[in-house]
Amino acid sequence: EDKFSPYSYPMGVVYSGMLLSSEVTGDRKYADFAAKRYQFFADNLPALSKWPKEKEQMRQNPFRNMLAPTSLDACGAMGASMTRARRNKVGPDLKEVIDRFANYVHTEQFRLEDGLLARKSPFPKSIWLDDAYMSVPLLAQYAKLTGDKKYFDDAARQIRGFHKHLFVPEVGLFTHAGNADVGGDHPHYFWARANGWYMVATVELLDLLPEDHADRDELIKILKAHAKSVATRQSGKGLWHQMLDRPDSYLETSCTAMFSYSMAKGVNRGWLDASTYAPVAIAGWNGVTTRISDEGRIDGICVGTNYANDMIYYYHR
């Protein structure tokens, strides 16, 4: 079996979830879960910082992503959780790591000419919708932590940029990815979890964005249009399909969790109409609970998924 890593982007999502669970319930045990693992990082960081910096040795350093991130996946989700923890005074002081992560996302990661975060794989100018989550929550949390508005501005620029490049208005959904050199002239694959990443990133930003921010109204408008199209595609079991526009694709749990969370937050904060979206969120939550075994195993989750240009790939992930 694969080894379990306390440091990975999925674990960054888990730590954020645990910290938020602690905030919402008032139960410290959830925050302690994250704090214990951050303490492990803090205890070992000084020694691992002294490792040789040459490429080959750095590749073998288990903390390489904390010391020298080279991708959004390496630092975005984890950075968002660490910054949330620092804001809530949970765990050790990891400000040195947080600063490095925020700087990487804000100044070092490859971007398109319009400032949208992008990757050089599989095409020289590849746009991945997943990167909304791998950047925006960290930028928003960091803006709140430091009081520096430029990070809010950058986070909002990302939400608007992904919408500009990947939203398909006639369907009301986001295609997973795009090749900027081809523009909009490519087929669309409405992979559910990518849409989930984007919706969560949007509400995470709105939750912290100042009320008077210039982009706020536009972001709420984007959320409303996205939520409307997603809601109409919910299955009778409360779950959503792996491909949102393909009812013959399997029912997928992670996207359902993300849509339910985002819509619930949207309702609770007044961005989405309660009578319309509360039932959708509750049905989604109930759908997720049907996928959890007595041992706590969660079923029906799509594995990590690459950028692809064919339906069959996404359909069978």
Side-chain angles (χ1 to χ4, degrees):
E1 287 194 6
D2 287 343
K3 288 177 183 170
F4 172 81
S5 171
Y7 190 104
S8 63
Y9 87 73
M11 287 310 297
V13 182
V14 169
Y15 300 147
S16 284
M18 287 292 188
L19 291 163
L20 192 51
S21 297
S22 190
E23 284 176 45
V24 169
T25 63
D27 191 332
R28 286 288 310 180
K29 75 181 175 208
Y30 300 114
D32 290 345
F33 175 92
K36 196 169 156 186
R37 282 145 187 84
Y38 294 150
Q39 192 61 56
F40 169 74
F41 299 154
D43 291 347
N44 291 279
L45 205 55
L48 287 165
S49 297
K50 295 191 179 89
W51 272 33
K53 301 289 189 285
E54 287 78 23
K55 203 169 184 182
E56 199 47 54
Q57 280 90 344
M58 186 54 99
R59 198 179 290 141
Q60 292 167 17
N61 189 325
F63 281 12
R64 63 187 175 279
N65 288 333
M66 260 186 278
L67 296 166
T70 56
S71 70
L72 293 174
D73 282 0
C75 63
M78 190 61 77
S81 70
M82 287 178 174
T83 315
R84 184 187 284 273
R86 184 168 176 81
R87 284 184 51 234
N88 291 341
K89 299 180 173 50
V90 171
D93 180 4
L94 290 169
K95 186 170 186 300
E96 169 205 337
V97 178
I98 292 167
D99 289 346
R100 187 180 298 131
F101 287 171
N103 182 63
Y104 176 83
V105 174
H106 188 60
T107 68
E108 295 178 30
Q109 172 68 23
F110 173 66
R111 295 178 180 234
L112 302 183
E113 291 81 356
D114 62 5
L116 181 65
L117 291 160
R119 306 191 197 190
K120 295 181 179 179
S121 148
F123 307 106
K125 292 182 181 177
S126 299
I127 311 163
W128 297 55
L129 191 60
D130 321 45
D131 288 342
Y133 186 85
M134 303 302 159
S135 60
V136 170
L138 168 56
L139 291 168
Q141 291 285 344
Y142 196 72
K144 193 75 174 174
L145 176 69
T146 62
D148 194 332
K149 183 178 175 290
K150 73 182 177 192
Y151 297 101
F152 276 137
D153 294 344
D154 196 12
R157 182 189 306 134
Q158 299 314 313
I159 293 295
R160 290 188 354 257
F162 284 113
H163 185 262
K164 177 183 129 187
H165 285 276
L166 299 179
F167 190 68
V168 183
E170 58 270 25
V171 185
L173 298 170
F174 288 82
T175 188
H176 176 216
N179 178 354
D181 284 331
V182 177
D185 188 23
H186 54 77
H188 300 135
Y189 303 114
F190 304 110
W191 178 42
R193 187 159 70 231
N195 278 265
W197 284 131
Y198 181 88
M199 198 182 287
V200 170
T202 306
V203 300
E204 290 291 280
L205 173 56
L206 283 170
D207 208 22
L208 300 176
L209 196 69
E211 289 290 333
D212 61 353
H213 193 278
D215 292 321
R216 189 172 181 82
D217 290 348
E218 186 183 348
L219 299 183
I220 291 173
K221 194 175 163 190
I222 286 171
L223 172 65
K224 284 179 173 174
H226 192 200
K228 178 183 173 184
S229 297
V230 167
T232 61
R233 289 171 171 83
Q234 189 174 33
S235 78
K237 293 188 173 175
L239 297 134
W240 276 267
H241 291 275
Q242 160 75 351
M243 304 304 289
L244 288 170
D245 60 334
R246 293 290 297 266
D248 57 328
S249 64
Y250 70 91
L251 294 171
E252 204 276 331
T253 311
S254 69
C255 74
T256 301
M258 289 196 270
F259 293 144
S260 304
Y261 167 74
S262 302
M263 290 187 197
K265 189 181 277 286
V267 166
N268 290 340
R269 299 290 190 272
W271 312 319
L272 297 175
D273 177 67
S275 61
T276 306
Y277 291 98
V280 180
I282 292 165
W285 168 255
N286 289 336
V288 169
T289 64
T290 67
R291 293 297 185 86
I292 304 171
S293 74
D294 292 341
E295 297 82 42
R297 296 179 70 89
I298 305 175
D299 196 23
I301 295 178
C302 176
V303 293
T305 292
N306 217 314
Y307 176 153
N309 274 326
D310 68 282
M311 172 65 75
I312 307 303
Y313 170 80
Y314 289 107
Y315 190 94
H316 291 287
R317 291 297 282 171

